[in-house]
Amino acid sequence: MVEMLEGFSLASKTLEHFLHENLTDLKSKGLYNVIDPLQSANGPVITISGKKLINLSSNNYLGLATDQRLIEAAVAAAQKYGVGAGAVRTINGTLELHTKLEEKLAAFKHTEAAIAYQSGFNCNMAAISAVMDKDDAILSDELNHASIIDGCRLSRAQIIRVNHSDIDDLRAKAKEAKESGKYKKLMVITDGVFSMDGDVAKLPEIVEVAEEFDLITYVDDAHGSGVLGKGAGTVKHFGLSDKIDFQIGTLSKAIGVVGGYVAGRQELIDWLKVRSRPFLFSTALTPADVAASIAAIDILQASTELHDKLWENGNYLKKGLKELGFNIGHSETPITPCIIGDEQQTQEFSKRLYEEGVYAKAIVFPTVAKGTGRVRNMPTAAHTKEMLDQALSIYEKVGKEMGILK
Ligand code: PMP
C-alpha cells in the first residue's frame, strides 16, 4: 500500500501546488488542526493514545451521548428498522419514527410543528436558503455560527453584519434596510447562546426591533436547548415562543445524538418540507439516531434532573476557576472559557493540561478574535465533583507553572 502511494500524484498540477503551499503555510503557523481520535466514548473521562483524561471539551452537556436508555432505544430501532433509512425523506425514507420525532420536537419547543434534518449545520443551510433569496436581506450577528453564515451566503440574500449583541446597531441597520425599499423580506438571525463565550442573545430586545420593522426572526439554539428554559431552550427561557419564527436546534449537543431541526408554525414547516434541499435530496437520519433522540427528549420532558446537575457542575467549575484567578469572561451558561489571550500561550496551556490529565482544547483565531485565545471548558451533567476538583487542581498547577496565575 505504501509503495503504491509513494508514486501518487494529483491529476492536476495546479491543485497539487495549491494544496502543498497552503498546507505547508498552515502547519508553519501552528494553524493546522491535529485530530486526536478517542479510544473511548465521549463521556466525562476519555481515552486518547492510551491516556485517560478528564474531558472538558464535548458538547454532550447532559451526558446523554452515553446514556443507557438512549443506547437501548438505538439498538431496538436498528433491530426493527435496520441501520439506514434507505432514501430521502420525500421518496420513502420517512419512517414512522421520523414523524414521531418531529411531533416530540414540536411539543418540546412549544410550537405547532417541526422538521428534522441530518445535522444542525445542514439545517441552517436548508432553512435560510428555503425562505430568503437575492431580493432579501439578513441582519446577522457578527459572532453567529459558521453554518448560519454559510446558509446566508447560499440564500444569495444581502448579508448585513450586526455588531455582537448590539441592539442599537441592529435597530439602525434594520431601519436603514427597511427605509431603503431595496428588499422584499428582512430577517434577523442570531445564536441563542454564543458558544465561544457562553453569553445569551438579547432576545426580548431583538423581538422588539423585529416587531418595529417586520423582521423574520430566526434563533439557532444549538447551545441553549437542554440548557436554558429548564431544558426547552433560550426562546422558552424568555417566554417568546410565539415571537420567534424559526427555532433551530441540534440533536448533537444536549440531546447527545446527531441531527438538526427547525420548530415553528405549521405552514413554515410545510414550506420547508417542499423547498429545503437537504430534506429533498439527502438521505434521512438513521433509525438509531432518531430513536435515541426521541428517548432523549422523553428524558428531558420527564425531569429537569440532568439540566439541574449541568448547572450545578457549571457553577462549581466557574466558581473554582474564578477563585484561582483565571479570566473566565462573562458567560451566562455552563460554557466556561479560560481566556489566556496570546495564541501560542493558549496552545501551550492546553498542551500542558493534556499532559497533566485534562482535555480542554485551545480555541484561537480565526474561531475567536486575535489576542483572545482561550481554553473552553464544557462541564456536563455526567462529571462528578471529584473529576471537577481534580481538573481544578491541574488548572492551578499549570496556571502557576506558566505564570498565568500569580
Ligand atoms: N449551530 C451552532 C450555533 C453550533 O454551535 C453548531 C455546532 N457547532 C451547529 C449549528 C451545527 O450543529 P451540528 O453539529 O448538529 O451540525
Side-chain angles (χ1 to χ4, degrees):
M1 191 66 189
V2 172
E3 271 159 43
M4 273 174 65
L5 286 175
E6 266 175 9
F8 188 83
S9 66
L10 286 154
S12 159
K13 289 289 161 223
T14 316
L15 177 61
E16 197 164 290
H17 251 94
F18 166 82
L19 295 175
H20 186 70
E21 227 170 79
N22 285 291
L23 284 171
T24 309
D25 181 53
L26 285 182
K27 285 175 188 168
S28 74
K29 291 179 180 151
L31 295 175
Y32 183 79
N33 234 341
V34 181
I35 294 170
D36 314 310
L38 271 62
Q39 296 162 320
S40 62
N42 203 343
V45 176
I46 52 176
T47 309
I48 295 175
S49 305
K51 185 177 169 71
K52 279 206 178 335
L53 297 142
I54 296 167
N55 178 18
L56 289 174
S57 282
S58 88
N59 294 314
N60 176 22
Y61 291 117
L62 301 176
L64 287 171
T66 53
D67 189 287
Q68 206 50 40
R69 295 163 288 185
L70 273 68
I71 295 168
E72 278 164 20
V75 170
Q79 292 289 0
K80 178 166 179 191
Y81 299 98
V83 290
V88 302
R89 291 287 304 273
T90 47
I91 298 189
N92 70 351
T94 298
L95 305 170
E96 55 190 346
L97 275 181
H98 291 95
T99 312
K100 188 170 167 195
L101 171 65
E102 288 168 342
E103 285 166 7
K104 295 257 176 197
L105 286 168
F108 177 53
K109 288 282 156 181
H110 305 267
T111 60
E112 274 183 345
I115 176 173
Y117 292 95
Q118 301 85 346
S119 75
F121 201 106
N122 204 328
C123 176
N124 278 326
M125 303 281 278
I128 302 168
S129 61
V131 169
M132 304 303 278
D133 66 30
K134 61 179 172 25
D135 300 323
D136 303 326
I138 305 173
L139 296 135
S140 176
D141 189 286
E142 63 179 335
L143 295 190
N144 278 343
H145 187 255
S147 56
I148 295 180
I149 297 167
D150 287 5
C152 292
R153 286 182 182 153
L154 190 64
S155 76
R156 295 180 300 150
Q158 179 71 39
I159 301 166
I160 304 171
R161 259 167 68 111
V162 177
N163 295 339
H164 177 52
S165 279
D166 183 340
I167 300 301
D168 292 339
D169 192 46
L170 172 65
R171 182 174 284 105
K173 287 175 176 160
K175 185 170 189 291
E176 194 186 331
K178 187 82 184 171
E179 288 175 356
S180 75
K182 283 200 292 198
Y183 308 110
K184 283 197 180 145
K185 299 193 280 313
L186 292 174
M187 174 184 270
V188 56
I189 189 160
T190 182
D191 280 18
V193 172
F194 291 87
S195 61
M196 296 301 141
D197 291 284
D199 55 325
V200 179
K202 295 175 182 162
L203 287 190
E205 291 90 336
I206 291 174
V207 162
E208 257 178 51
V209 177
E211 287 184 336
E212 202 176 331
F213 299 104
D214 189 27
L215 312 179
I216 299 166
T217 47
Y218 189 114
V219 176
D220 177 349
D221 210 21
H223 294 273
S225 297
V227 177
L228 288 171
K230 287 280 170 206
T234 312
V235 173
K236 185 72 177 36
H237 167 76
F238 287 114
L240 293 169
S241 301
D242 57 339
K243 303 280 186 191
I244 301 297
D245 297 314
F246 288 77
Q247 288 196 54
I248 309 303
T250 171
L251 302 170
S252 67
K253 302 190 195 302
I255 299 293
V257 192
V258 72
Y261 60 91
V262 182
R265 297 300 299 263
Q266 185 67 54
E267 277 201 319
L268 171 64
I269 304 305
D270 291 347
W271 178 251
L272 294 175
K273 285 188 174 167
V274 293
R275 275 293 177 276
S276 54
R277 294 167 72 83
F279 190 82
L280 298 168
F281 299 114
S282 181
T283 299
L285 280 168
T286 73
D289 292 330
V290 177
S293 300
I294 291 172
I297 296 164
D298 286 345
I299 291 169
L300 291 196
Q301 289 195 308
S303 152
T304 60
E305 189 186 332
L306 293 175
H307 161 278
D308 298 345
K309 185 78 187 151
L310 166 69
W311 279 89
E312 190 186 315
N313 281 346
N315 290 334
Y316 187 78
L317 186 71
K318 258 188 194 162
K319 186 166 170 280
L321 288 171
K322 198 170 176 186
E323 278 172 7
L324 286 176
F326 284 103
N327 172 7
I328 60 162
H330 305 285
S331 172
E332 301 165 75
T333 60
I335 296 172
T336 308
C338 251
I339 302 168
I340 307 296
D342 178 75
E343 280 74 18
Q344 296 291 359
Q345 198 183 22
T346 309
Q347 299 281 15
E348 181 57 26
F349 185 59
S350 167
K351 186 167 155 259
R352 283 289 300 121
L353 290 174
Y354 180 98
E355 286 163 0
E356 295 294 329
V358 170
Y359 196 86
K361 196 102 176 157
I363 314 269
V364 295
F365 178 79
T367 309
V368 293
K370 273 197 176 126
T372 70
R374 67 204 55 198
V375 165
R376 191 180 44 151
N377 302 292
M378 315 275 241
T380 72
H383 286 92
T384 61
K385 282 272 155 15
E386 292 68 37
M387 291 173 195
L388 297 178
D389 282 336
Q390 204 183 330
L392 283 167
S393 71
I394 293 172
Y395 262 90
E396 181 174 18
K397 175 174 178 209
V398 177
K400 283 188 173 150
E401 166 199 299
M402 287 183 62
I404 296 165
L405 297 178
K406 301 283 165 287

